Amino acid sequence: MYSFKVPEDKKINIIIDSDAKNEADDQYAIVHALQSPKLNVKGIIGTQFSKRRTLTSMIESYEECKKLVSLMNFSTPVYKGNVEALDSLEHYEVSEGSKFIIEEAKKAEGELYIACMGALTNIAVAVLHEPSIADKISIVWVGGRLNVSDDKGYEANARNDYKAVNVVMERCSKILHIPYETYTMMQVSIAELELRVKPYHEIGEYLFNQLNDFNYNINRPWTNGESWNMGDTTSISVLINKHSATYAKRNAFILDKELNVTEIDKEITAVTSIDSRYAMEDFYAKLVLFSRHQKQTLF
């Protein structure tokens, strides 16, 4: 598909964990990852995003991930995650997605990254069920807040499973945290997406149309009318190119039910800024090249 090649020693293995039907930007991040030759996407897991808007959030995310893979004519496996947020540290569902994380972590010879674009439920369950993997997985989490001195740590991905946040923060050793203050830097205009995404292949048209439909018909309180936050793409951008972001050490944290924040004596890495132009231009270029390749294969 590309004239350039990625050296084998630069390629990395990743699992994508996504609440893809929560809104409209996970889809762009997933397609970006699948089109990136540096990323060996071992599988995709559908993630729950609470019952506030639907009672079947995980299944909807799972089906959305399957649809994206199908539209691209890829064979990347897709797994079902946990149906609900973590309720107990002793009694929990071990979904096929959590089992997949465990299996891949156990057999991984090098680094295994998990790009989590939603609640941390599936990762937390995997770690609870098989504690030995806690030091074997590198988690890139889009969620939570950077400024933990605030009284509240409210943020959608953290809210959707605060207990899972605590499990991961307390037990996992390799965490790259992409907080709200950083992932909201990934702003694009919808006009830009119409011009640079919609014309390119069936997947480009679908990406644009589903976002446009969400923006107009669902119209969540945080939307702006003719722009979008591509926050989940940050997790893919930093895995493709670590120099597309800046970083700082920070304390890990745990949350209570009201999302009050308590720092813990453990250091993690936070992404403090992101080069949104690099991320989106890389995505646009790959989408055009993918579209050209698909047209060539038809003749």
Side-chain angles (χ1 to χ4, degrees), residues 229-258:
N229 169 30
M230 291 290 173
D232 290 311
T233 293
T234 56
S235 62
I236 304 305
S237 179
V238 298
L239 288 173
I240 297 171
N241 178 10
K242 65 181 180 181
H243 299 298
S244 67
T246 60
Y247 308 86
K249 297 297 182 181
R250 65 165 301 178
N251 285 336
F253 57 91
I254 58 174
L255 305 169
D256 64 17
K257 188 175 182 179
E258 285 72 41

PDB file of all heavy atoms in Angstrom, residues 229-258:
ATOM      1  N   ASN A 229     -13.607  17.175  18.515  1.00  0.00           N
ATOM      2  CA  ASN A 229     -12.393  16.828  19.251  1.00  0.00           C
ATOM      3  C   ASN A 229     -11.986  15.394  18.893  1.00  0.00           C
ATOM      4  O   ASN A 229     -12.680  14.450  19.241  1.00  0.00           O
ATOM      5  CB  ASN A 229     -12.657  16.953  20.751  1.00  0.00           C
ATOM      6  CG  ASN A 229     -11.542  16.351  21.584  1.00  0.00           C
ATOM      7  OD1 ASN A 229     -10.383  16.343  21.174  1.00  0.00           O
ATOM      8  ND2 ASN A 229     -11.883  15.835  22.751  1.00  0.00           N
ATOM      9  N   MET A 230     -10.867  15.245  18.224  1.00  0.00           N
ATOM     10  CA  MET A 230     -10.351  13.924  17.845  1.00  0.00           C
ATOM     11  C   MET A 230      -9.437  13.367  18.936  1.00  0.00           C
ATOM     12  O   MET A 230      -8.343  12.865  18.677  1.00  0.00           O
ATOM     13  CB  MET A 230      -9.585  14.020  16.519  1.00  0.00           C
ATOM     14  CG  MET A 230     -10.454  14.304  15.337  1.00  0.00           C
ATOM     15  SD  MET A 230     -11.488  12.878  14.949  1.00  0.00           S
ATOM     16  CE  MET A 230     -12.530  13.568  13.676  1.00  0.00           C
ATOM     17  N   GLY A 231      -9.896  13.457  20.161  1.00  0.00           N
ATOM     18  CA  GLY A 231      -9.048  13.125  21.301  1.00  0.00           C
ATOM     19  C   GLY A 231      -8.480  11.729  21.306  1.00  0.00           C
ATOM     20  O   GLY A 231      -7.343  11.515  21.742  1.00  0.00           O
ATOM     21  N   ASP A 232      -9.233  10.743  20.838  1.00  0.00           N
ATOM     22  CA  ASP A 232      -8.750   9.369  20.907  1.00  0.00           C
ATOM     23  C   ASP A 232      -7.583   9.108  19.963  1.00  0.00           C
ATOM     24  O   ASP A 232      -6.798   8.181  20.184  1.00  0.00           O
ATOM     25  CB  ASP A 232      -9.895   8.398  20.616  1.00  0.00           C
ATOM     26  CG  ASP A 232     -10.908   8.380  21.749  1.00  0.00           C
ATOM     27  OD1 ASP A 232     -10.493   8.245  22.910  1.00  0.00           O
ATOM     28  OD2 ASP A 232     -12.111   8.524  21.481  1.00  0.00           O
ATOM     29  N   THR A 233      -7.456   9.929  18.925  1.00  0.00           N
ATOM     30  CA  THR A 233      -6.330   9.781  18.004  1.00  0.00           C
ATOM     31  C   THR A 233      -5.001  10.063  18.684  1.00  0.00           C
ATOM     32  O   THR A 233      -3.951   9.621  18.210  1.00  0.00           O
ATOM     33  CB  THR A 233      -6.539  10.699  16.785  1.00  0.00           C
ATOM     34  OG1 THR A 233      -7.672  10.229  16.041  1.00  0.00           O
ATOM     35  CG2 THR A 233      -5.344  10.703  15.853  1.00  0.00           C
ATOM     36  N   THR A 234      -5.017  10.765  19.806  1.00  0.00           N
ATOM     37  CA  THR A 234      -3.764  11.033  20.521  1.00  0.00           C
ATOM     38  C   THR A 234      -3.049   9.742  20.887  1.00  0.00           C
ATOM     39  O   THR A 234      -1.812   9.672  20.846  1.00  0.00           O
ATOM     40  CB  THR A 234      -4.023  11.844  21.800  1.00  0.00           C
ATOM     41  OG1 THR A 234      -4.967  11.154  22.632  1.00  0.00           O
ATOM     42  CG2 THR A 234      -4.565  13.228  21.483  1.00  0.00           C
ATOM     43  N   SER A 235      -3.809   8.703  21.252  1.00  0.00           N
ATOM     44  CA  SER A 235      -3.180   7.447  21.662  1.00  0.00           C
ATOM     45  C   SER A 235      -2.448   6.785  20.503  1.00  0.00           C
ATOM     46  O   SER A 235      -1.422   6.121  20.692  1.00  0.00           O
ATOM     47  CB  SER A 235      -4.230   6.486  22.230  1.00  0.00           C
ATOM     48  OG  SER A 235      -5.203   6.143  21.261  1.00  0.00           O
ATOM     49  N   ILE A 236      -2.962   6.958  19.297  1.00  0.00           N
ATOM     50  CA  ILE A 236      -2.325   6.380  18.113  1.00  0.00           C
ATOM     51  C   ILE A 236      -1.133   7.228  17.686  1.00  0.00           C
ATOM     52  O   ILE A 236      -0.066   6.708  17.340  1.00  0.00           O
ATOM     53  CB  ILE A 236      -3.344   6.256  16.961  1.00  0.00           C
ATOM     54  CG1 ILE A 236      -4.551   5.431  17.417  1.00  0.00           C
ATOM     55  CG2 ILE A 236      -2.685   5.654  15.724  1.00  0.00           C
ATOM     56  CD1 ILE A 236      -4.219   4.059  17.980  1.00  0.00           C
ATOM     57  N   SER A 237      -1.295   8.529  17.754  1.00  0.00           N
ATOM     58  CA  SER A 237      -0.225   9.439  17.338  1.00  0.00           C
ATOM     59  C   SER A 237       1.050   9.219  18.157  1.00  0.00           C
ATOM     60  O   SER A 237       2.153   9.137  17.603  1.00  0.00           O
ATOM     61  CB  SER A 237      -0.689  10.891  17.464  1.00  0.00           C
ATOM     62  OG  SER A 237       0.340  11.779  17.084  1.00  0.00           O
ATOM     63  N   VAL A 238       0.922   9.112  19.477  1.00  0.00           N
ATOM     64  CA  VAL A 238       2.131   8.954  20.305  1.00  0.00           C
ATOM     65  C   VAL A 238       2.780   7.593  20.114  1.00  0.00           C
ATOM     66  O   VAL A 238       3.989   7.443  20.329  1.00  0.00           O
ATOM     67  CB  VAL A 238       1.842   9.207  21.803  1.00  0.00           C
ATOM     68  CG1 VAL A 238       1.369  10.639  22.022  1.00  0.00           C
ATOM     69  CG2 VAL A 238       0.838   8.205  22.362  1.00  0.00           C
ATOM     70  N   LEU A 239       1.996   6.589  19.706  1.00  0.00           N
ATOM     71  CA  LEU A 239       2.581   5.273  19.444  1.00  0.00           C
ATOM     72  C   LEU A 239       3.303   5.253  18.097  1.00  0.00           C
ATOM     73  O   LEU A 239       4.326   4.575  17.954  1.00  0.00           O
ATOM     74  CB  LEU A 239       1.501   4.196  19.488  1.00  0.00           C
ATOM     75  CG  LEU A 239       0.957   3.870  20.883  1.00  0.00           C
ATOM     76  CD1 LEU A 239      -0.221   2.906  20.797  1.00  0.00           C
ATOM     77  CD2 LEU A 239       2.056   3.271  21.763  1.00  0.00           C
ATOM     78  N   ILE A 240       2.790   5.990  17.132  1.00  0.00           N
ATOM     79  CA  ILE A 240       3.478   6.085  15.846  1.00  0.00           C
ATOM     80  C   ILE A 240       4.742   6.926  15.981  1.00  0.00           C
ATOM     81  O   ILE A 240       5.804   6.580  15.458  1.00  0.00           O
ATOM     82  CB  ILE A 240       2.553   6.694  14.780  1.00  0.00           C
ATOM     83  CG1 ILE A 240       1.344   5.786  14.533  1.00  0.00           C
ATOM     84  CG2 ILE A 240       3.308   6.915  13.467  1.00  0.00           C
ATOM     85  CD1 ILE A 240       0.278   6.415  13.655  1.00  0.00           C
ATOM     86  N   ASN A 241       4.627   8.017  16.705  1.00  0.00           N
ATOM     87  CA  ASN A 241       5.739   8.968  16.808  1.00  0.00           C
ATOM     88  C   ASN A 241       5.744   9.594  18.192  1.00  0.00           C
ATOM     89  O   ASN A 241       4.965  10.496  18.481  1.00  0.00           O
ATOM     90  CB  ASN A 241       5.595  10.050  15.733  1.00  0.00           C
ATOM     91  CG  ASN A 241       6.687  11.106  15.813  1.00  0.00           C
ATOM     92  OD1 ASN A 241       7.666  10.966  16.549  1.00  0.00           O
ATOM     93  ND2 ASN A 241       6.515  12.181  15.053  1.00  0.00           N
ATOM     94  N   LYS A 242       6.627   9.134  19.048  1.00  0.00           N
ATOM     95  CA  LYS A 242       6.679   9.652  20.423  1.00  0.00           C
ATOM     96  C   LYS A 242       7.024  11.136  20.462  1.00  0.00           C
ATOM     97  O   LYS A 242       6.714  11.833  21.434  1.00  0.00           O
ATOM     98  CB  LYS A 242       7.674   8.861  21.257  1.00  0.00           C
ATOM     99  CG  LYS A 242       9.126   8.987  20.814  1.00  0.00           C
ATOM    100  CD  LYS A 242      10.045   8.139  21.678  1.00  0.00           C
ATOM    101  CE  LYS A 242      11.494   8.257  21.240  1.00  0.00           C
ATOM    102  NZ  LYS A 242      12.384   7.409  22.069  1.00  0.00           N
ATOM    103  N   HIS A 243       7.652  11.631  19.383  1.00  0.00           N
ATOM    104  CA  HIS A 243       8.029  13.045  19.348  1.00  0.00           C
ATOM    105  C   HIS A 243       6.871  13.948  18.931  1.00  0.00           C
ATOM    106  O   HIS A 243       7.056  15.166  18.792  1.00  0.00           O
ATOM    107  CB  HIS A 243       9.214  13.246  18.405  1.00  0.00           C
ATOM    108  CG  HIS A 243      10.436  12.494  18.824  1.00  0.00           C
ATOM    109  ND1 HIS A 243      11.093  12.729  20.015  1.00  0.00           N
ATOM    110  CD2 HIS A 243      11.105  11.466  18.222  1.00  0.00           C
ATOM    111  CE1 HIS A 243      12.111  11.902  20.127  1.00  0.00           C
ATOM    112  NE2 HIS A 243      12.143  11.119  19.057  1.00  0.00           N
ATOM    113  N   SER A 244       5.698  13.374  18.741  1.00  0.00           N
ATOM    114  CA  SER A 244       4.524  14.196  18.419  1.00  0.00           C
ATOM    115  C   SER A 244       3.868  14.746  19.677  1.00  0.00           C
ATOM    116  O   SER A 244       2.803  15.360  19.609  1.00  0.00           O
ATOM    117  CB  SER A 244       3.501  13.384  17.619  1.00  0.00           C
ATOM    118  OG  SER A 244       2.939  12.344  18.415  1.00  0.00           O
ATOM    119  N   ALA A 245       4.513  14.541  20.824  1.00  0.00           N
ATOM    120  CA  ALA A 245       3.939  14.985  22.096  1.00  0.00           C
ATOM    121  C   ALA A 245       5.045  15.413  23.039  1.00  0.00           C
ATOM    122  O   ALA A 245       6.231  15.141  22.810  1.00  0.00           O
ATOM    123  CB  ALA A 245       3.122  13.860  22.724  1.00  0.00           C
ATOM    124  N   THR A 246       4.642  16.102  24.110  1.00  0.00           N
ATOM    125  CA  THR A 246       5.556  16.386  25.212  1.00  0.00           C
ATOM    126  C   THR A 246       5.052  15.665  26.454  1.00  0.00           C
ATOM    127  O   THR A 246       3.859  15.370  26.568  1.00  0.00           O
ATOM    128  CB  THR A 246       5.670  17.889  25.492  1.00  0.00           C
ATOM    129  OG1 THR A 246       4.374  18.405  25.834  1.00  0.00           O
ATOM    130  CG2 THR A 246       6.207  18.636  24.288  1.00  0.00           C
ATOM    131  N   TYR A 247       5.961  15.432  27.392  1.00  0.00           N
ATOM    132  CA  TYR A 247       5.646  14.549  28.514  1.00  0.00           C
ATOM    133  C   TYR A 247       6.138  15.148  29.829  1.00  0.00           C
ATOM    134  O   TYR A 247       7.042  15.977  29.857  1.00  0.00           O
ATOM    135  CB  TYR A 247       6.303  13.179  28.312  1.00  0.00           C
ATOM    136  CG  TYR A 247       6.015  12.557  26.977  1.00  0.00           C
ATOM    137  CD1 TYR A 247       6.809  12.850  25.858  1.00  0.00           C
ATOM    138  CD2 TYR A 247       4.944  11.686  26.798  1.00  0.00           C
ATOM    139  CE1 TYR A 247       6.542  12.292  24.619  1.00  0.00           C
ATOM    140  CE2 TYR A 247       4.674  11.118  25.562  1.00  0.00           C
ATOM    141  CZ  TYR A 247       5.478  11.425  24.470  1.00  0.00           C
ATOM    142  OH  TYR A 247       5.212  10.870  23.250  1.00  0.00           O
ATOM    143  N   ALA A 248       5.535  14.674  30.906  1.00  0.00           N
ATOM    144  CA  ALA A 248       5.968  15.068  32.243  1.00  0.00           C
ATOM    145  C   ALA A 248       5.650  13.942  33.213  1.00  0.00           C
ATOM    146  O   ALA A 248       4.675  13.207  33.026  1.00  0.00           O
ATOM    147  CB  ALA A 248       5.279  16.362  32.687  1.00  0.00           C
ATOM    148  N   LYS A 249       6.464  13.813  34.238  1.00  0.00           N
ATOM    149  CA  LYS A 249       6.176  12.844  35.287  1.00  0.00           C
ATOM    150  C   LYS A 249       5.110  13.421  36.215  1.00  0.00           C
ATOM    151  O   LYS A 249       5.053  14.618  36.453  1.00  0.00           O
ATOM    152  CB  LYS A 249       7.435  12.514  36.085  1.00  0.00           C
ATOM    153  CG  LYS A 249       8.525  11.843  35.261  1.00  0.00           C
ATOM    154  CD  LYS A 249       8.068  10.499  34.725  1.00  0.00           C
ATOM    155  CE  LYS A 249       9.176   9.797  33.938  1.00  0.00           C
ATOM    156  NZ  LYS A 249       8.733   8.491  33.394  1.00  0.00           N
ATOM    157  N   ARG A 250       4.278  12.546  36.732  1.00  0.00           N
ATOM    158  CA  ARG A 250       3.241  12.975  37.658  1.00  0.00           C
ATOM    159  C   ARG A 250       2.937  11.825  38.614  1.00  0.00           C
ATOM    160  O   ARG A 250       3.331  10.686  38.382  1.00  0.00           O
ATOM    161  CB  ARG A 250       1.966  13.362  36.911  1.00  0.00           C
ATOM    162  CG  ARG A 250       1.307  12.190  36.190  1.00  0.00           C
ATOM    163  CD  ARG A 250      -0.102  12.494  35.767  1.00  0.00           C
ATOM    164  NE  ARG A 250      -0.950  12.831  36.879  1.00  0.00           N
ATOM    165  CZ  ARG A 250      -2.238  13.171  36.762  1.00  0.00           C
ATOM    166  NH1 ARG A 250      -2.803  13.189  35.576  1.00  0.00           N
ATOM    167  NH2 ARG A 250      -2.958  13.463  37.814  1.00  0.00           N
ATOM    168  N   ASN A 251       2.196  12.129  39.661  1.00  0.00           N
ATOM    169  CA  ASN A 251       1.755  11.079  40.566  1.00  0.00           C
ATOM    170  C   ASN A 251       0.532  10.372  39.986  1.00  0.00           C
ATOM    171  O   ASN A 251      -0.346  10.998  39.395  1.00  0.00           O
ATOM    172  CB  ASN A 251       1.384  11.659  41.931  1.00  0.00           C
ATOM    173  CG  ASN A 251       2.604  12.036  42.749  1.00  0.00           C
ATOM    174  OD1 ASN A 251       3.693  11.509  42.541  1.00  0.00           O
ATOM    175  ND2 ASN A 251       2.423  12.959  43.672  1.00  0.00           N
ATOM    176  N   ALA A 252       0.489   9.074  40.165  1.00  0.00           N
ATOM    177  CA  ALA A 252      -0.729   8.334  39.854  1.00  0.00           C
ATOM    178  C   ALA A 252      -1.815   8.773  40.836  1.00  0.00           C
ATOM    179  O   ALA A 252      -1.543   9.461  41.831  1.00  0.00           O
ATOM    180  CB  ALA A 252      -0.479   6.838  39.952  1.00  0.00           C
ATOM    181  N   PHE A 253      -3.051   8.357  40.584  1.00  0.00           N
ATOM    182  CA  PHE A 253      -4.157   8.823  41.411  1.00  0.00           C
ATOM    183  C   PHE A 253      -5.255   7.780  41.453  1.00  0.00           C
ATOM    184  O   PHE A 253      -5.346   6.904  40.583  1.00  0.00           O
ATOM    185  CB  PHE A 253      -4.710  10.150  40.873  1.00  0.00           C
ATOM    186  CG  PHE A 253      -5.157  10.067  39.440  1.00  0.00           C
ATOM    187  CD1 PHE A 253      -6.464   9.731  39.106  1.00  0.00           C
ATOM    188  CD2 PHE A 253      -4.257  10.319  38.406  1.00  0.00           C
ATOM    189  CE1 PHE A 253      -6.877   9.650  37.788  1.00  0.00           C
ATOM    190  CE2 PHE A 253      -4.667  10.231  37.071  1.00  0.00           C
ATOM    191  CZ  PHE A 253      -5.974   9.895  36.764  1.00  0.00           C
ATOM    192  N   ILE A 254      -6.092   7.871  42.445  1.00  0.00           N
ATOM    193  CA  ILE A 254      -7.290   7.046  42.539  1.00  0.00           C
ATOM    194  C   ILE A 254      -8.486   7.967  42.728  1.00  0.00           C
ATOM    195  O   ILE A 254      -8.344   9.142  43.097  1.00  0.00           O
ATOM    196  CB  ILE A 254      -7.210   6.011  43.678  1.00  0.00           C
ATOM    197  CG1 ILE A 254      -6.972   6.703  45.026  1.00  0.00           C
ATOM    198  CG2 ILE A 254      -6.117   4.985  43.387  1.00  0.00           C
ATOM    199  CD1 ILE A 254      -7.030   5.753  46.206  1.00  0.00           C
ATOM    200  N   LEU A 255      -9.669   7.409  42.472  1.00  0.00           N
ATOM    201  CA  LEU A 255     -10.904   8.183  42.526  1.00  0.00           C
ATOM    202  C   LEU A 255     -11.904   7.524  43.459  1.00  0.00           C
ATOM    203  O   LEU A 255     -11.916   6.297  43.600  1.00  0.00           O
ATOM    204  CB  LEU A 255     -11.529   8.282  41.133  1.00  0.00           C
ATOM    205  CG  LEU A 255     -10.657   8.844  40.005  1.00  0.00           C
ATOM    206  CD1 LEU A 255     -11.327   8.610  38.656  1.00  0.00           C
ATOM    207  CD2 LEU A 255     -10.388  10.326  40.214  1.00  0.00           C
ATOM    208  N   ASP A 256     -12.750   8.328  44.073  1.00  0.00           N
ATOM    209  CA  ASP A 256     -13.876   7.744  44.788  1.00  0.00           C
ATOM    210  C   ASP A 256     -15.128   7.859  43.919  1.00  0.00           C
ATOM    211  O   ASP A 256     -15.063   8.315  42.768  1.00  0.00           O
ATOM    212  CB  ASP A 256     -14.076   8.394  46.162  1.00  0.00           C
ATOM    213  CG  ASP A 256     -14.450   9.872  46.087  1.00  0.00           C
ATOM    214  OD1 ASP A 256     -14.874  10.339  45.000  1.00  0.00           O
ATOM    215  OD2 ASP A 256     -14.328  10.567  47.109  1.00  0.00           O
ATOM    216  N   LYS A 257     -16.259   7.449  44.454  1.00  0.00           N
ATOM    217  CA  LYS A 257     -17.489   7.394  43.674  1.00  0.00           C
ATOM    218  C   LYS A 257     -17.887   8.754  43.134  1.00  0.00           C
ATOM    219  O   LYS A 257     -18.492   8.868  42.057  1.00  0.00           O
ATOM    220  CB  LYS A 257     -18.616   6.818  44.541  1.00  0.00           C
ATOM    221  CG  LYS A 257     -19.897   6.531  43.784  1.00  0.00           C
ATOM    222  CD  LYS A 257     -20.917   5.852  44.674  1.00  0.00           C
ATOM    223  CE  LYS A 257     -22.189   5.517  43.896  1.00  0.00           C
ATOM    224  NZ  LYS A 257     -23.189   4.820  44.763  1.00  0.00           N
ATOM    225  N   GLU A 258     -17.583   9.809  43.882  1.00  0.00           N
ATOM    226  CA  GLU A 258     -17.910  11.169  43.441  1.00  0.00           C
ATOM    227  C   GLU A 258     -16.817  11.758  42.555  1.00  0.00           C
ATOM    228  O   GLU A 258     -16.860  12.936  42.216  1.00  0.00           O
ATOM    229  CB  GLU A 258     -18.132  12.072  44.658  1.00  0.00           C
ATOM    230  CG  GLU A 258     -19.464  11.850  45.366  1.00  0.00           C
ATOM    231  CD  GLU A 258     -19.507  10.525  46.133  1.00  0.00           C
ATOM    232  OE1 GLU A 258     -18.481  10.193  46.766  1.00  0.00           O
ATOM    233  OE2 GLU A 258     -20.546   9.830  46.066  1.00  0.00           O
TER     234      GLU A 258
END
